[in-house]
Amino acid sequence: MNFKPSDISIKAVVLSNLAFWGLFVSGMIITAILCLTGAGLWALNRATTTSIDHVMSSPMLIGSWLVVGSVLAPLVGGYTAARIAPEAKLLNGALSTLLFLVFAVCSDIWGPADTDLPHWLDLISSYWVPVPALLGAYICQQRAMRPAVAAAA
């Protein structure tokens, strides 16, 4: 399958990047609020104190951020791009995470050298993001190719 530059839909790429970042940021905020609230209620119930640093580095919060940021947001972005793009739905789905990949490359080059995440987890969570985006585009493509079900009379 040969792709031409004219197969790239600028509208699909821009809107799917907006969908990706909208879900990415709102998902991160919602999971952080839920984890902080849960930790606060747990500490209140146990009559202990918990620090925000402890909660923000908990495996539960990091895992939920990885699921939202590395699976759900790209899946929605890829589906959105494939839904909008008239042709080359998989290509446009993969490009739905283009801004995130640019951000990841810049972060790896100029970002901090020491992070809380292991280096392998940082690489996997940053550069595998087009795979769920392709899955979202594939789901949209398969739904579009599905034969129309005749309405029962």
Side-chain angles (χ1 to χ4, degrees):
M1 185 180 250
N2 294 329
F3 295 114
K4 303 178 297 281
S6 62
D7 289 341
I8 298 173
S9 171
I10 300 299
K11 177 182 175 183
V13 171
V14 169
L15 290 177
S16 62
N17 268 287
L18 288 174
F20 169 81
W21 281 102
L23 185 62
F24 183 85
V25 171
S26 63
M28 297 294 173
I29 291 171
I30 289 170
T31 55
I33 289 171
L34 289 175
C35 284
L36 287 171
T37 304
L41 291 174
W42 182 79
L44 184 69
N45 214 7
R46 303 250 191 270
T48 61
T49 60
T50 181
S51 68
I52 291 178
D53 292 335
H54 176 71
V55 174
M56 296 305 274
S57 64
S58 72
M60 183 179 70
L61 181 64
I62 293 172
S64 63
W65 278 352
L66 287 173
V67 168
V68 168
S70 298
V71 178
L72 295 178
L75 192 71
V76 169
Y79 187 89
T80 304
R83 184 93 172 145
I84 295 170
E87 297 176 1
K89 295 184 179 298
L90 294 177
L91 174 66
N92 286 290
L95 291 176
S96 68
T97 59
L98 183 65
L99 190 60
F100 181 81
L101 289 174
V102 169
F103 177 74
V105 167
C106 291
S107 176
D108 283 343
I109 293 172
W110 295 294
D114 55 340
T115 60
D116 291 337
L117 287 177
H119 190 63
W120 64 269
L121 184 58
D122 186 29
L123 287 175
I124 290 174
S125 65
S126 297
Y127 296 110
W128 95 295
V129 170
V131 174
L134 280 171
L135 179 63
Y138 180 76
I139 290 169
C140 180
Q141 185 176 14
Q142 292 303 312
R143 288 193 65 198
M145 292 173 44
R146 187 175 55 185
V149 178

